[in-house]
Amino acid sequence: MQKLNLSQSLSQKLSPQQIQFIKLLQVPTAELDARIEEELEVNPALEEGKEEASESTQDEFEDTYEDDIHQDDRDVNLDDYLDEEYGGYKMQGDGNYNPDEEDREIPISSQASLHEQLISQLNFLKLDDRQKLIGQQLIGSIENDGYIRRDLEAIINDLAFSQNIETDIDELEEILRKIQTFDPPGIASRNLQECLILQLERREHPEDPVVQHALMIVHDCFEEFTKKHYPKIQRKCNLNEEETKEAVNLITRLNPKPGGISDGLVRTQYIIPDFILANNSGKLEVSLNSKNAPELRISRSYADMFDAYDKSDKKDKKLKETVTFVKQKLDAAKWFIDAIKQRQNTLLRTMEAILDYQREFFLDGDETNLRPMILKDIAEKIDMDISTVSRVANSKSIQTEFGVFPLKYFFSEGIATDSGEDVSNREVKSVLQAMVDEEDKKKPLSDDKLVKMLNKKGYNIARRTVAKYREQLQIPVARLRKEL
């Protein structure tokens, strides 16, 4: 039996304009230009051009617009779309923008990739066609850092299935050894130990005692070497402390990644700061870097369509359909320009709040002057949601006279001191790093000793916290920091 029930519920939904603003807010300045280009392509009512001079100040952003697309009987007010406030979205606080400036890509000289270099060297070997195919298969199995990590049995199977070539381990290793003589030294190694051995065997003076001692250590004491158990190495290889030190120094100067970090050309990724900070005699001034954001305005041709509609018969069905489409595009253009304006306003408010909170750091760049600060502190200061501040902090950066910093750098938890004050954990990390840098490398400080030294300086911190901070700073344990 069917029943009809009536229920009432309350829910919150984001409007399309709010969703658009949220998406624009988390886009870094470096990617904003591409996002605007996308909008220009899909919306003909939005166009790029110089903003027109306006004597009136621009109104605050309205959260939503009334959607009257389906109300055909309602006249459309042309003035809504010709208001000068939509002439452009540039705001006070933007960085200097010169429309005559063009982004020019720096030319990169062409060069052969690692794979091409190895194939070229392979062609110089006196190999038959079958052996060349095997060599090409081995070179194709070399990863970006220069290693072959695939099992040779798997490569044999690949050759059988893809090249219809049957081979065995002995033949494969014979050709592999020839490839391992190629440049750069250490290429086509199957592990770090083999990589170091190949490089030591190709030293200019292989008979040098230091080279021989280094080979002996890598051959016979590789595990002890990785764990820095130098007394065991000295006993096992019958070396004195000076001989061990010279051999270890030679090994540590070798290249653990002969292929580099990637194959082929890599375009350098430059960080484009979203904010520019200037210190004018102690007065801190922050501005948005909007160099890559072109000026936008409502299309005049679309406005003329509305003008034609105003003077025409309102009962023409086809004309009404056309105007409905035009109105949709004009609404979208207005919403996009307003979202850009609100984005800039939100960015500036957030950055100015951070600037006020961390003023001491921005004046001298001393990391120890950073105050404990969490997202909630800034959200309360600018009366916005924590999620909004999070979107700004996670994808934006600021250029100062001390360097470029991501905004999330300034957020940190607090650590209690003996005086009862809270200090930033970044200050503790800075002190910890200084202690490790100044320690005697022959007797590096253990975590227990580091805890005692930090406690003496007034930082109430536990051993597990020191271990966590040490790992975050990528500082190895005391045993691995030991030097001869």
Side-chain angles (χ1 to χ4, degrees):
M1 184 175 179
Q2 291 183 342
K3 290 185 179 180
L4 184 64
N5 294 323
L6 184 64
S7 62
Q8 191 175 35
S9 64
L10 185 65
S11 63
Q12 283 187 326
K13 290 185 179 179
L14 291 174
S15 68
Q17 296 77 42
Q18 290 170 320
I19 294 173
Q20 186 177 55
F21 163 67
I22 289 171
K23 288 182 178 179
L24 281 173
L25 185 62
Q26 56 196 16
V27 173
T29 297
E31 300 173 15
L32 182 60
D33 188 45
R35 174 66 186 88
I36 291 174
E37 287 296 330
E38 290 177 10
E39 193 69 23
L40 287 170
E41 289 178 7
V42 300
N43 191 349
L46 188 68
E47 64 181 26
E48 190 174 351
K50 293 182 179 180
E51 61 180 341
E52 299 174 0
S54 176
E55 296 180 0
S56 61
T57 58
Q58 297 184 357
D59 295 338
E60 293 293 326
F61 176 79
E62 296 178 1
D63 290 336
T64 58
Y65 285 93
E66 183 180 358
D67 186 6
D68 57 354
I69 293 174
H70 300 293
Q71 300 179 24
D72 292 340
D73 294 335
R74 186 172 178 177
D75 288 343
V76 180
N77 187 356
L78 178 62
D79 294 337
D80 289 344
Y81 299 95
L82 299 183
D83 197 320
E84 286 186 351
E85 79 168 297
Y86 296 106
Y89 67 88
K90 304 293 283 183
M91 296 174 58
Q92 184 178 5
D94 290 356
N96 295 330
Y97 172 70
N98 185 358
D100 297 329
E101 290 183 2
E102 296 179 357
D103 292 332
R104 295 182 174 87
E105 291 190 359
I106 300 174
I108 302 177
S109 58
S110 61
Q111 64 184 43
S113 67
L114 174 65
H115 181 268
E116 291 169 340
Q117 293 173 18
L118 295 174
I119 291 295
S120 176
Q121 294 177 72
L122 180 70
N123 293 332
F124 284 102
L125 296 180
K126 294 180 180 179
L127 301 175
D128 57 32
D129 292 341
R130 180 176 177 280
Q131 291 173 323
K132 276 188 179 180
L133 288 173
I134 296 174
Q136 290 171 4
Q137 187 74 26
L138 285 167
I139 290 173
S141 300
I142 296 176
E143 298 182 11
N144 293 337
D145 55 4
Y147 288 87
I148 290 182
R149 293 188 174 88
R150 290 203 70 204
D151 190 74
L152 294 186
E153 289 287 353
I155 297 176
I156 290 174
N157 292 335
D158 289 344
L159 284 165
F161 284 110
S162 62
Q163 304 288 346
N164 198 25
I165 295 176
E166 291 188 7
T167 184
D168 55 27
I169 289 290
D170 293 336
E171 184 180 22
L172 203 63
E173 287 189 338
E174 181 184 352
I175 297 175
L176 176 60
R177 281 193 293 271
K178 292 180 179 180
I179 294 174
Q180 288 176 341
T181 64
F182 292 174
D183 288 324
I187 198 70
S189 303
R190 285 163 285 184
N191 51 56
L192 178 60
Q193 183 178 17
E194 185 177 40
C195 178
L196 298 177
I197 291 172
L198 290 173
Q199 292 181 62
L200 288 168
E201 289 176 343
R202 292 180 60 180
R203 298 291 294 183
E204 187 175 355
H205 302 289
E207 71 286 347
D208 188 323
V210 177
V211 177
Q212 292 298 315
H213 295 157
L215 271 170
M216 189 188 310
I217 291 173
V218 177
H219 262 298
D220 304 331
C221 307
F222 185 70
E223 185 177 351
E224 290 85 350
F225 168 74
T226 58
K227 295 180 179 179
K228 295 195 174 184
H229 288 160
Y230 298 125
K232 289 184 179 179
I233 292 175
Q234 292 174 22
R235 290 195 300 270
K236 196 170 182 179
C237 297
N238 195 24
L239 300 174
N240 59 40
E241 185 174 335
E242 185 61 30
E243 290 172 335
T244 306
K245 184 177 181 180
E246 290 177 349
V248 168
N249 287 340
L250 173 59
I251 297 169
T252 54
R253 290 198 303 269
L254 300 176
N255 183 8
K257 294 183 179 180
I261 58 172
S262 62
D263 192 3
L265 295 176
V266 176
R267 186 179 293 274
T268 304
Q269 296 293 321
Y270 295 98
I271 297 176
I272 300 178
D274 301 86
F275 304 95
I276 309 295
L277 180 66
N279 186 346
N280 297 324
S281 302
K283 184 180 180 182
L284 300 176
E285 297 178 356
V286 65
S287 62
L288 278 174
N289 178 7
S290 299
K291 176 182 177 182
N292 294 329
E295 296 170 342
L296 301 176
R297 66 186 182 194
I298 300 294
S299 171
R300 179 59 57 181
S301 61
Y302 267 60
D304 291 342
M305 290 183 190
F306 267 85
D307 193 23
Y309 171 74
D310 246 9
K311 298 174 183 178
S312 65
D313 182 8
K314 303 289 192 304
K315 295 180 181 180
D316 188 326
K317 186 176 180 181
K318 289 186 177 179
L319 185 58
K320 276 196 171 186
E321 291 176 355
T322 302
V323 170
T324 299
F325 171 78
V326 172
K327 184 181 183 302
Q328 289 174 335
K329 294 302 180 183
L330 286 171
D331 276 337
K334 288 170 62 179
W335 292 335
F336 187 78
I337 290 173
D338 276 332
I340 291 286
K341 288 162 61 178
Q342 189 183 9
R343 173 186 185 273
Q344 293 178 326
N345 181 52
T346 303
L347 291 182
L348 276 175
R349 286 180 62 190
T350 305
M351 189 63 244
E352 285 169 355
I354 295 174
L355 195 65
D356 182 57
Y357 211 98
Q358 303 288 6
R359 177 177 173 79
E360 294 301 319
F361 169 82
F362 288 111
L363 285 174
D364 55 22
D366 187 353
E367 193 176 39
T368 60
N369 286 332
L370 280 173
R371 295 172 57 194
M373 183 178 75
I374 58 177
L375 294 173
K376 185 180 178 182
D377 296 328
I378 300 301
E380 290 177 349
K381 201 174 182 68
I382 62 176
D383 195 23
M384 287 188 177
D385 193 80
I386 292 178
S387 62
T388 301
V389 178
S390 177
R391 286 186 177 92
V392 175
N394 285 335
S395 58
K396 307 295 184 293
S397 59
I398 181 171
Q399 177 181 308
T400 71
E401 57 186 1
F402 316 110
V404 178
F405 298 90
L407 294 198
K408 59 184 178 182
Y409 172 83
F410 305 110
F411 292 87
S412 60
E413 297 288 343
I415 298 291
T417 63
D418 288 342
S419 61
E421 297 180 358
D422 278 349
V423 297
S424 168
N425 59 10
R426 288 199 175 275
E427 177 179 334
V428 180
K429 289 180 184 179
S430 179
V431 174
L432 178 63
Q433 182 70 63
M435 288 178 176
V436 173
D437 291 342
E438 296 169 4
E439 71 183 359
D440 181 1
K441 296 304 179 184
K442 292 184 178 180
K443 296 180 179 179
L445 300 169
S446 65
D447 288 351
D448 288 329
K449 290 182 180 178
L450 289 170
V451 168
K452 292 177 182 178
M453 292 173 68
L454 286 168
N455 289 341
K456 286 182 179 178
K457 289 181 177 287
Y459 301 109
N460 296 325
I461 190 169
R463 184 185 181 282
R464 62 178 179 277
T465 307
V466 169
K468 182 179 75 172
Y469 289 171
R470 178 176 52 71
E471 290 171 1
Q472 290 174 352
L473 292 168
Q474 297 183 344
I475 299 173
V477 296
R479 176 171 51 78
L480 297 181
R481 300 200 304 272
K482 187 176 181 180
E483 296 179 2
L484 286 171

